[in-house]
Amino acid sequence: MGSLSHEIRSPMTSVLGYTDMLLHVEIDEDTGKMALQTIYDQANYLKNLSAKMMELSGLYQNNSIQVEDCSVGQLLEESRKTVARKWPEITFVWKEKENFRMSGDTDLLTSLFQNLLDNGAKASRPGQKIEIGLRPGFISIRDFGKGIPEEEIGKICRPFYKVDRSRTGRDGIGLGLAICRQILEFHHGEMNIESVPGKGTTISLQFVTNC
């Protein structure tokens, strides 16, 4: 709750400050547009934060999880296509593709895969690629972006923790990996993160397979 309060304080300060200026100060049109854009951006950030909080809190309700037999390759490919449309300047390639099946919630697994692919894209520069590996019980997602300092790797799955505190908006909520970790716990999966600053990050997932 302390982390959440801290995360909300900055955008709310911006919204209140610019709203007060619009109400009480005579300003030119360009300044007014800038103020409205800032209010819009910060309100949109708070909306996204609320959605992520709902997703994270919903994971604690076990009765909402629908376990069924899943094709991991199909879910991962659909996630790859979805994220690739969002990041047309990044190339998402299959390095290895040997499908397997497992018991799980398809919505949660899709959220897991999309979060990890999206994180890789955020860390990458235009023109770079992200490699996806798939073999029975194992998934790897490798980017060649900015990387993560060694001392930060053990902290990045904490809710609201951000390696780069300057990031805001859709890049700055800091809940993606916390949600991923919770999804993995429900599916009895494990995650390993290897990273070298300036060379990229590899995230490996291990699951129990059905076949």
Side-chain angles (χ1 to χ4, degrees):
M1 289 302 295
S3 297
L4 176 59
S5 298
H6 177 79
E7 195 69 21
I8 290 174
R9 186 179 299 116
S10 180
M12 285 303 300
T13 298
S14 294
V15 169
L16 292 171
Y18 280 108
T19 302
D20 184 68
M21 181 179 72
L22 290 171
L23 287 172
H24 301 106
V25 179
E26 292 187 8
I27 55 176
D28 58 62
E29 183 177 353
D30 288 341
T31 303
K33 287 181 178 179
M34 180 275 293
L36 287 172
Q37 184 64 52
T38 301
I39 291 170
Y40 175 82
D41 290 342
Q42 295 301 313
N44 196 51
Y45 170 77
L46 290 169
K47 182 192 74 172
N48 292 338
L49 175 60
S50 175
K52 285 292 186 180
M53 284 299 297
M54 290 294 292
E55 184 177 357
L56 183 60
S57 63
L59 292 179
Y60 290 93
Q61 301 174 13
N62 291 322
N63 59 353
S64 68
I65 297 177
Q66 302 296 321
V67 176
E68 58 185 305
D69 182 62
C70 304
S71 169
V72 176
Q74 180 180 345
L75 294 177
L76 192 51
E77 172 62 11
E78 291 171 354
S79 298
R80 185 193 70 84
K81 290 179 178 178
T82 298
V83 179
R85 286 192 291 269
K86 179 181 176 182
W87 299 93
E89 69 276 20
I90 305 295
T91 303
F92 296 82
V93 299
W94 285 101
K95 183 179 180 181
E96 184 179 23
K97 191 177 183 182
E98 185 180 351
N99 191 28
F100 68 92
R101 306 186 73 86
M102 61 175 283
S103 297
D105 183 294
T106 57
D107 291 334
L108 292 182
L109 289 172
T110 297
S111 177
L112 169 67
F113 300 151
Q114 289 187 9
N115 263 305
L116 295 179
L117 290 168
D118 194 57
N119 281 350
K122 290 174 184 176
S124 302
R125 296 185 301 275
Q128 290 188 315
K129 66 178 180 179
I130 292 175
E131 295 180 343
I132 306 167
L134 175 68
R135 63 177 187 266
F138 180 82
I139 295 170
S140 65
I141 296 174
R142 181 185 182 187
D143 68 68
F144 297 86
K146 65 180 67 174
I148 305 167
E150 183 178 359
E151 64 273 14
E152 304 283 349
I153 292 177
K155 307 173 185 176
I156 59 176
C157 288
R158 298 176 185 172
F160 302 110
Y161 189 84
K162 289 168 279 188
V163 175
D164 184 355
R165 297 299 303 185
S166 66
R167 294 192 305 175
T168 56
R170 69 177 182 181
D171 295 337
I173 293 175
L175 280 175
L177 283 175
I179 291 172
C180 290
R181 183 179 63 179
Q182 197 67 27
I183 293 172
L184 281 167
E185 288 181 3
F186 279 120
H187 290 88
H188 307 290
E190 298 180 357
M191 177 167 58
N192 182 61
I193 302 174
E194 298 177 348
S195 189
V196 178
K199 294 186 177 180
T201 301
T202 299
I203 295 183
S204 304
L205 307 179
Q206 191 79 36
F207 293 100
V208 176
T209 68
N210 291 350
C211 59

